[in-house]
Amino acid sequence: MPTIVSVDDSTVPGEGSSRLLLLVSSDNKHIVVEEDIMSRSRFISKQVEGFEATSQRHAILLPFSSFVLNKVIEYCSHYRGYYLLEDDPDAAPPGRSPVREWDQEFLDVDRNMLLRIIKAAHYLEIKSLVGSCARAIADMIRGKTTEEMREILGVENDFTPEEEHSPSSKCTG
Amino acid sequence: MDSEGQHTLLTTPSELLFHVFTFLDVPSILALRQTCKSLSLLTHDKGVWLDQLRHQRNSLPLPSPARDDVSALALTPEELEKIVVSAHASQHAWHRPRQEVTHLGGLQADYRDIIYLTVLLDRLVLCVYSHGSVVLWNVASNSAKMRARVIHPQSYWELWGLEPWTSAVACLDNGNEAAYVAITRAQNRTQQGSATVLMRIPLDETASYEAPYLGSVNRDQTEDLTQPPPGSRNLNFNDVDTIFGPDAQVVRTIDPAQQIIAFSRTTHIDVTHWPTNTGITLDTQREDVDQLWNGIIALQFIGPYLLCIKARTLELYPISLPFSSRTSYFVSSSLGPPTPPEPQGDSHDDVPVPPRRPVALHSFPRTTFRGASISSSLPRSHCAASAAPDETATSPIVLTLLAHDVLRGVFQYRVNIVPASSTARPSSFPIPPTLHVDLIGVHNMALGVPGFVSAAAIGPQGRRGVWVERTKKVTTRRVVVFSTPACDDAPDDGDVEQPRPVTLPLQFVDAENDLSDEEEGREDGAWGLGKPINTHPVYEVKSYDLHEDLVQVAFSEVSGLIALGTRAGAVRVI
């Protein structure tokens, strides 16, 4: 029987708080979170709309671990009640997401974790978080040499020596 | 999708990788291309380069196909990448000292006194001399040996009168196949009146460069230039028009689309529609500034207006075709063209023109400008995101103005014009246009060692500028370049947006009024409010006598090529 975890003391239901959601991570952790915290996620919002249409609420299964999910919930809790342009489905999409200092600190994690967060944010359709992660990944490799980039990103050089010395042949991949 | 396995970029959806690329600069994308095959493939995607291009539009001058998305989308990914990479490279090359100097040759020995110098289509240097020659060089960067051709106006213009030509202006025709060149001088020595030759010079390179043009003279190499240039060609008479005007006209600007040309005479403006020989004259003198000299230094047609830059003010006059009256300034000359128009009426002095008030005016505090250079109107997207694309009639026009005061230095302004709107109200009560001028950069030469600015120019896209300066008691002439910083209100990488609560705090109602007071204050305030222009000296030349003095400067904003004209009449490209 999975344990029920409350995410954060500050999100314990209080006066005027919204309804609760049950999220289930891929490692089968059950996490209870207030609905309005997760409303930043288009994916969750659509699920909630479904609940309201059918008057049936159920757990939402997510394909990533509680470790990543908790990180995403931390992000959403931080911006609870805040308007971020990128997450506004009615606003015109901005060019590059703006720099937010808190996000930079929040995403000061290793590459593996960063990629897990961006994939989770993509799945949950949280555009502001996808943008901040993309910026953080770009910050890791900007201005680096090709060799440094391979190391940072964990990619193998799969060019043949001939391809490596003739840039044009790389076009075809 | 989960957790324990290594997450590499390659297991990340390409949609997310493209998102990462939007935060990278051009060198990083090119370096990333070398890492592995799958990333290489992604970096060839058109969207990656289109996105880079959109960022470059905020700060860099771009060749015309890249300036809007419609034409940029028509490019192949390879073409697009090439434009983006070369625009990126030009950003660094623009500020670097110029090592290579090319002296443009093919000139007759008596070519002196340059009255006009410009660079057309990023590769053609056009120079007009006071004796009436128009010289055109192709200085495409890929041809090591530059080629020149020399174009004389129709021979009888050389004969007609002994007065030197005093002013000239050139611009590209719509479609860029030809250039209009207008050259003005006094009609003749004894009688009043000005004469202007308007030529349309074809720029079709494939046809013209097969002809035997003169080679250029490389670095200090001299040639016998006394022979008439073999490449000179007579223009068809259809290519030439003549315009007669009152005394002391200075030709300022041409609008090929409307076929109108504008001249200034101290504080008067003459505008002529050349196909019909009709025109208007505006007396722009205003009593409140009479005590201070406020002559016209530049004119430019902007949509339905004529922008008039004076020494101390910037004014806007509506220009609406057709003009009702025929221009009637001609003083007969025995050496004139075959069928001059009959003199009609008296000279201008006898028929005073009522003073005309501008529809909008801006005063420059404390400066007396001697020269001004104006960019073309920039698309609104350059400067704000709040453009209303459906209201083309009243969408604001944004220009960059570079003006220099000989002693005080160089001043860069952004000029916003919101054209009059006649759509919202009945046409009898049109909303007047609004003019808003912001000082965006200053190069203050009144501080420190006194210096002088002899020539200055801003690019048509308003992104780059150049001027020639010298410091007092020093023989060195210095060519200085700068780049316009990206617009303040454009989204920029450096901007830090703090999230704002959904519930907005109460705003003071007076906030807007305070802002306008501040604007007024800025008018009176010192130029200290303008940011110093970030200058880069790129070239220096010693001028012990006045021969080497650099008196003309023109440049190609996209390619970064700078043309300099000396007092002795030589032209060099750096």
Side-chain angles (χ1 to χ4, degrees), chain B residues 163-204:
Chain B
E163 297 299 303
W165 301 90
T166 50
S167 63
V169 71
C171 73
L172 289 171
D173 194 2
N174 304 321
N176 296 348
E177 293 130 7
Y180 278 106
V181 183
I183 323 175
T184 301
R185 70 174 175 192
Q187 277 184 34
N188 63 46
R189 187 162 286 184
T190 52
Q191 286 166 293
Q192 289 198 328
S194 303
T196 297
V197 182
L198 180 67
M199 298 186 291
R200 191 175 180 276
I201 299 175
L203 300 174
D204 185 352

Side-chain angles (χ1 to χ4, degrees), chain B residues 306-337:
Chain B
L306 182 64
L307 184 68
C308 170
I309 317 289
K310 293 184 178 177
R312 309 178 63 83
T313 52
L314 185 153
E315 300 168 9
L316 202 60
Y317 294 91
I319 298 294
S320 57
L321 286 167
F323 300 136
S324 53
S325 62
R326 291 186 70 78
T327 55
S328 56
Y329 302 103
F330 181 74
V331 181
S332 58
S333 161
S334 55
L335 290 166

Side-chain angles (χ1 to χ4, degrees), chain B residues 41-81:
Chain B
L41 189 62
L42 292 176
T43 64
H44 284 95
D45 187 87
K46 195 171 184 175
V48 172
W49 297 102
L50 202 58
D51 184 69
Q52 291 291 324
L53 187 73
R54 287 182 187 137
H55 290 299
Q56 289 186 338
R57 282 197 201 126
N58 284 330
S59 57
L60 293 179
L62 295 166
S64 53
R67 284 179 214 155
D68 63 277
D69 273 0
V70 176
S71 54
L73 277 166
L75 299 168
T76 67
E78 290 74 26
E79 288 168 332
L80 200 59
E81 181 180 328

Side-chain angles (χ1 to χ4, degrees), chain B residues 405-425:
Chain B
D405 176 311
V406 175
L407 294 174
R408 289 213 164 94
V410 184
F411 297 76
Q412 188 183 8
Y413 297 91
R414 184 165 290 128
V415 182
N416 284 271
I417 300 165
V418 181
S421 164
S422 56
T423 50
R425 298 191 198 178

Side-chain angles (χ1 to χ4, degrees), chain A residues 26 65 79 81 83 96 99-100 111-112 115-116 119 138 142-143 146 150 153 156 158-159 163 170-171, chain B residues 1-3 6-7 9 11 15 22-23 28 31 34-37 40 44 55 493 497 499-500 502:
Chain A
S26 64
S65 70
Y79 287 116
Y83 174 84
R96 292 179 188 179
V99 181
R100 280 185 290 267
R111 176 245 307 166
N112 219 20
L115 292 174
R116 287 163 74 179
K119 287 176 193 175
R142 189 183 302 112
T146 298
R150 281 188 195 126
L153 300 174
E156 291 291 317
D158 55 358
F159 290 117
E163 284 173 329
K170 288 174 188 172
C171 302
Chain B
M1 156 153 194
D2 190 36
S3 67
Q6 277 287 89
H7 284 257
L9 276 190
T11 61
E15 187 187 340
T22 65
F23 292 103
S28 297
Q34 317 284 323
T35 54
C36 69
K37 285 181 180 175
S40 169
H44 284 95
H55 290 299
D493 269 358
E497 189 211 64
R500 54 192 166 91
V502 178

Side-chain angles (χ1 to χ4, degrees), chain B residues 117 158 171 213 236 245 248 265 276 300 324 374 378-379 392 455 572:
Chain B
L117 182 68
E158 296 283 346
C171 73
Y213 297 120
N236 294 326
R265 290 172 284 136
T276 58
Q300 184 154 311
S324 53
I374 311 163
L378 310 174
T392 45
R572 68 185 63 141

Side-chain angles (χ1 to χ4, degrees), chain B residues 246 249 261-272 279-286 296 299-301 304-308 310 315-320 323 325 327 329 348 351-359:
Chain B
Q249 276 185 327
I261 184 166
F263 305 86
S264 69
R265 290 172 284 136
T266 313
T267 58
H268 284 72
I269 299 171
D270 301 307
V271 183
T272 301
I280 52 166
T281 293
L282 310 173
D283 177 0
T284 69
Q285 189 140 9
R286 291 167 64 244
I296 295 165
L299 296 174
Q300 184 154 311
F301 293 110
Y305 301 104
L306 182 64
L307 184 68
C308 170
K310 293 184 178 177
E315 300 168 9
L316 202 60
Y317 294 91
I319 298 294
S320 57
F323 300 136
S325 62
T327 55
Y329 302 103
H348 172 77
V351 187
V353 178
R356 185 81 69 106
R357 292 196 72 82
V359 288

